[in-house]
Amino acid sequence: MVHEVKVKSVLNKHKKRDSWFLDNYTLNPYAGCSMGCIYCYTRGSKYGGSYTDEDGNTLTTDVALKADAVPILKRQLKNRLRRGERGFIVLGSAAEAYPDVEEDLKVTMEILGLIKRFKFPVHVCTKSKLVLRDLDLLKAVDETAVLPDDMAYLEHGVFISFSFSTLDPELAGLLEPGAPTPQERLETMKKCSEAGFKVGVINMPVLPFLSDSDESLESMAKTAKEYGADYIMFAGLTLFGDGPEDCRTLYYKFLEKNFPELITKYQKLFRNSSYPTSTYQRDLSKRAEKVSAKYGIKTRIS
């Protein structure tokens, strides 16, 4: 049984357009995520795995459906069009839009149908192979979407991005236990590329001392290019919160169990912050730009 959570809104508008993902809106049909990624920034937040239903009961299910998501979205899209506020929608910003239950529920499919009907452009962010089911629908979205006037140069109404933290299948299995393997994601991306979509890799987060070596970054850029990626975006790990289910706590438990020799290095790198030092971030950005240029792949969508 899939639990439902009551929401008043499913389409969330930014104050300004996101410069990385090019979206003005985010949309998550589901609350919680079946991928189980230990590093996920939503862990410990309202998106991260425990929810309260309308009767006040706490639910521990990994995934919950947002009740009435489709009619709520229909109303919101109508309102945005009435105000002339057209823009890209990121589908799956805080929770996987293609969890296992989507295969039967088809809520994301219905939502894409609405997006097509109202001619909004969409950026799908996923780890799932199930996106292949909707390629015909996404092709229709791509062909009919009306871009904002200042984004007409993009010439695409759909982007499909695949998320990675590492290409190492063993490490990925520890960190992303519910996700398809990195190889499966690459093959899915290649099929999307061959179908004519603009696709890319989101290497977020790059994991300090685990997937941030020059060799790892180069392998990610080279492999992304080989599997059809038009762009690759790199960003470092963030560790938020201190609660028992927050990503900081869970990630340090992961290190204690699997890489205890790295704990001191992480403590020095993050100190009392949720972010690695600015020096580390600048160095990572510089090295990422270098390997991307080597393989002729952009580090931004546009």
Side-chain angles (χ1 to χ4, degrees):
M1 177 181 177
V2 178
H3 291 283
E4 293 188 354
V5 290
K6 292 284 188 179
V7 296
K8 295 180 180 180
S9 169
V10 292
L11 186 70
N12 304 300
K13 191 177 189 301
H14 303 316
K15 291 182 178 179
K16 63 179 181 179
R17 181 182 297 151
D18 186 280
S19 61
W20 284 66
F21 296 91
L22 304 186
D23 58 301
N24 291 96
Y25 302 96
T26 58
L27 199 168
N28 296 285
Y30 296 91
C33 185
S34 60
M35 301 299 178
C37 303
I38 290 172
Y39 51 73
C40 183
Y41 76 95
T42 69
R43 285 190 174 274
S45 75
K46 63 181 180 180
Y47 301 109
S50 62
Y51 318 97
T52 303
D53 67 14
E54 57 188 308
D55 298 318
N57 301 310
T58 298
L59 310 174
T60 56
T61 179
D62 287 335
V63 178
L65 174 65
K66 293 183 179 179
D68 300 320
V70 174
I72 291 171
L73 177 62
K74 182 179 179 180
R75 183 183 70 247
Q76 289 189 279
L77 289 176
K78 280 185 176 179
N79 289 339
R80 292 302 173 185
L81 279 185
R82 193 175 296 119
R83 299 171 187 171
E85 296 176 344
R86 193 182 294 279
F88 268 90
I89 299 169
V90 161
L91 186 61
S93 64
E96 176 61 59
Y98 288 96
D100 295 341
V101 295
E102 166 62 19
E103 189 165 5
D104 294 322
L105 296 180
K106 297 181 173 62
V107 175
T108 294
M109 179 188 287
E110 286 189 70
I111 280 172
L112 285 173
L114 267 184
I115 290 173
K116 170 184 171 291
R117 175 179 171 184
F118 289 97
K119 299 183 179 181
F120 274 73
V122 67
H123 181 181
V124 179
C125 297
T126 186
K127 286 185 172 79
S128 177
K129 297 180 289 182
L130 189 55
V131 68
L132 295 175
R133 179 199 67 187
D134 292 342
L135 288 192
D136 287 345
L137 182 52
L138 284 165
K139 178 61 70 174
V141 174
D142 196 22
E143 292 171 349
T144 59
V146 177
L147 298 176
D149 291 342
D150 64 337
M151 301 182 80
Y153 66 93
L154 291 174
E155 299 180 348
H156 284 273
V158 171
F159 298 103
I160 308 175
S161 297
F162 293 84
S163 176
F164 296 82
S165 63
T166 176
L167 293 177
D168 182 334
E170 292 186 9
L171 182 57
L174 294 173
L175 286 162
E176 308 159 352
T181 66
Q183 185 62 34
E184 288 174 320
R185 279 172 254 170
L186 289 167
E187 291 170 0
T188 302
M189 181 175 70
K190 185 175 183 180
K191 290 177 182 177
C192 293
S193 175
E194 290 172 345
F197 291 97
K198 191 164 185 178
V199 301
V201 162
I202 304 172
N203 189 185
M204 300 180 186
V206 178
L207 306 167
F209 316 113
L210 292 173
S211 67
D212 68 343
S213 66
D214 289 343
E215 293 77 13
S216 293
L217 297 181
E218 181 160 348
S219 178
M220 186 67 76
K222 180 175 183 289
T223 304
K225 186 70 173 182
E226 290 173 350
Y227 280 83
D230 297 288
Y231 54 87
I232 181 169
M233 295 186 284
F234 296 91
L237 177 69
T238 55
L239 295 174
F240 293 105
D242 289 300
E245 297 299 321
D246 291 349
C247 65
R248 174 187 287 274
T249 300
L250 294 176
Y251 193 83
Y252 271 99
K253 286 183 178 179
F254 155 77
L255 291 177
E256 288 172 6
K257 183 177 181 180
N258 299 282
F259 301 98
E261 71 279 8
L262 295 181
I263 292 176
T264 300
K265 289 185 177 181
Y266 269 81
Q267 290 171 338
K268 183 178 180 180
L269 182 63
F270 281 86
R271 302 175 184 175
N272 294 320
S273 174
S274 299
Y275 301 88
T277 63
S278 57
T279 300
Y280 174 89
Q281 293 182 61
R282 286 194 299 269
D283 176 68
L284 176 62
S285 178
K286 183 178 180 180
R287 292 188 294 120
E289 290 281 353
K290 183 177 179 180
V291 298
S292 299
K294 179 177 179 179
Y295 292 99
I297 185 168
K298 295 187 295 184
T299 54
R300 291 288 191 276
I301 294 175
S302 62

